[in-house]
Amino acid sequence: MKPQLADSVFIRACRREPVPHTPVWFMRQAGRSLPEYRRVRAGVEMLTACATPDLVVEITMQPFRRYGTDAAIFFSDIVVPLKAIGVDLDIKPGVGPVVATPIRDKAGMEVLRPLEPDDVPYVTEAVGALTGELGGTPLIGFAGGPFTLASYLIEGGPSKNHDRTKAMMYGEPELWHELMERLGAITLAFLRVQVAAGASAVQLFDSWVGAVAPQDYRTYVLPHTSKIFAGLADLGVPRIHFGVGTGELLGLMGEAGADVVGVDWRVPLDEAALRVGAGKALQGNLDPAILLAPWEVVERRAREVLERGRVAEGHVFNLGHGVLPSTDPDQLARLTDFVHESSAR
């Protein structure tokens, strides 16, 4: 990693080193809340946009230019590596990822071959161009966690209760573990491609893993997630782990091997620090919906997050989930400035 990147406030906070102010970036900071994003995406399908380097660069840079965040996150989607190896899926507007032939038996799994760097040349190209443009600002690479990917593949699309997913997990554990093994390997390869191209941190979004009870997480998810984080250890980049509704899993998510545990808005950061335990930084955790309230409310609640975050060994300010499409970008710009100014040491 370049010396100026290693010294960036975001990387330092991830490593639990002293920082001049609390760093800030926002999950889903690129996207539907930005008019410039809607302009460049007009008439372009999501998966096409993710495979077009010029568009990826432009969309990743948009929020960085507008807000001056301490990190940019690579514009992609968690199903990109699955599409790249030949899974027949699409992202339907207003619905999410839809899989043509859900995977529900051993034969269905044959489509999940290992991911090679040559499968995603557009990722390598876009990351390389972005790191050139960002200079001393870190680029965060990302991928979807194995439980979340498995859920989309088994259910055939988004699911409220993940019933088919859990039916396989509980009823056919051997099949489940093989599926998770394959998805874990694909995810690890996808993250390694991004770091090799220049990403200086990575985030694993296991968005829907909060649907699982702690003892089941330990049995059916943790071994596979741990393998991903262990497989990134030699790269020396901070590893962030995030899921939604994971308050009961925070300790286990810390155990999985990430350097930073992302916390959604449901658990205050001082409480999260106790659950996660020593030796980890925290990321989070303003409720994204608070940004729809008047500025005075945003400021008060953001100050609260910063105060509670002081308990953690390192704190990266973020939202407790992604930016909502109806968010006024000016609120995010003000919030970035507020976090920087009010946390200045």
Side-chain angles (χ1 to χ4, degrees):
M1 194 185 296
K2 296 180 201 151
Q4 79 261 38
L5 282 168
D7 202 42
S8 75
V9 66
F10 167 74
I11 299 289
R12 289 179 68 87
C14 290
R15 294 201 164 131
R16 315 191 313 282
E17 294 169 1
V19 287
H21 59 79
T22 301
V24 55
W25 69 278
F26 305 110
M27 289 186 277
R28 223 176 278 151
Q29 59 188 18
R32 296 165 295 177
S33 62
L34 293 176
E36 56 267 42
Y37 170 81
R38 294 195 291 270
R39 276 197 297 277
V40 298
R41 270 291 314 280
V44 182
E45 288 185 356
M46 179 65 177
L47 288 169
T48 304
C50 293
T52 309
D54 293 356
L55 263 182
V56 172
V57 171
E58 170 57 22
I59 291 168
T60 303
M61 291 300 293
Q62 284 174 350
F64 175 68
R65 289 187 206 118
R66 197 188 257 264
Y67 307 136
T69 48
D70 296 286
I73 184 161
F74 185 63
F75 174 75
S76 187
D77 189 273
I78 64 167
V79 298
V80 164
L82 299 179
K83 182 78 173 174
I85 60 167
V87 176
D88 187 358
L89 58 80
D90 202 8
I91 296 175
K92 297 242 160 83
V95 180
V98 177
V99 179
T101 311
I103 294 177
R104 292 176 187 159
D105 54 29
K106 199 161 170 59
M109 249 185 295
E110 289 315 303
V111 68
L112 298 176
R113 66 168 175 82
L115 177 89
E116 305 293 341
D118 294 351
D119 294 320
V120 285
Y122 43 86
V123 169
T124 301
E125 188 183 328
V127 171
L130 277 163
T131 50
E133 270 197 51
L134 286 162
T137 301
L139 177 70
I140 304 167
F142 87 92
F147 178 88
T148 300
L149 294 177
S151 170
Y152 284 125
L153 289 172
I154 297 166
E155 306 286 344
S159 164
K160 225 189 193 105
N161 302 315
H162 310 279
D163 5 15
R164 287 178 183 274
T165 307
K166 289 182 171 185
M168 183 192 289
M169 189 172 86
Y170 297 134
E172 299 179 84
E174 274 183 29
L175 189 63
W176 171 262
H177 284 297
E178 187 182 336
L179 177 60
M180 291 290 275
E181 190 83 28
R182 289 186 187 220
L183 290 172
I186 290 163
T187 296
L188 174 58
F190 190 55
L191 289 170
R192 288 189 71 93
V193 164
Q194 293 172 66
V195 176
S200 41
V202 291
Q203 175 156 319
L204 187 70
F205 284 85
D206 214 346
S207 309
W208 309 136
V209 80
V212 175
Q215 70 272 25
D216 294 325
Y217 181 92
R218 184 176 285 291
T219 305
Y220 300 109
V221 183
L222 184 63
H224 305 286
T225 308
S226 298
K227 207 175 270 187
I228 294 168
F229 287 126
L232 296 165
D234 64 307
L235 300 177
V237 300
R239 299 155 295 175
I240 311 168
H241 194 11
F242 174 75
V244 186
T246 48
E248 298 300 321
L249 304 177
L250 287 172
L252 288 160
M253 287 171 75
E255 252 179 69
D259 305 290
V260 185
V261 176
V263 184
D264 81 359
W265 68 92
R266 296 170 176 88
V267 181
L269 288 179
D270 46 357
E271 170 61 27
L274 294 173
R275 295 186 190 186
V276 170
K280 307 283 173 191
L282 297 185
Q283 178 175 282
N285 72 339
L286 187 74
D287 185 339
I290 285 172
L291 289 162
L292 309 179
W295 171 250
E296 304 68 67
V297 180
V298 178
E299 187 178 331
R300 178 167 51 82
R301 298 294 288 265
R303 184 173 277 117
E304 228 170 81
V305 169
L306 285 167
E307 276 166 18
R308 290 177 184 274
R310 286 205 184 101
V311 174
E313 294 177 33
H315 178 212
V316 175
F317 188 98
N318 207 313
L319 304 179
H321 197 197
V323 174
L324 296 168
S326 53
T327 307
D328 176 356
D330 292 343
Q331 290 277 63
L332 285 165
R334 278 184 86 171
L335 180 56
T336 307
D337 291 343
F338 173 77
V339 170
H340 286 159
E341 288 158 18
S342 67
S343 68
R345 313 285 193 260

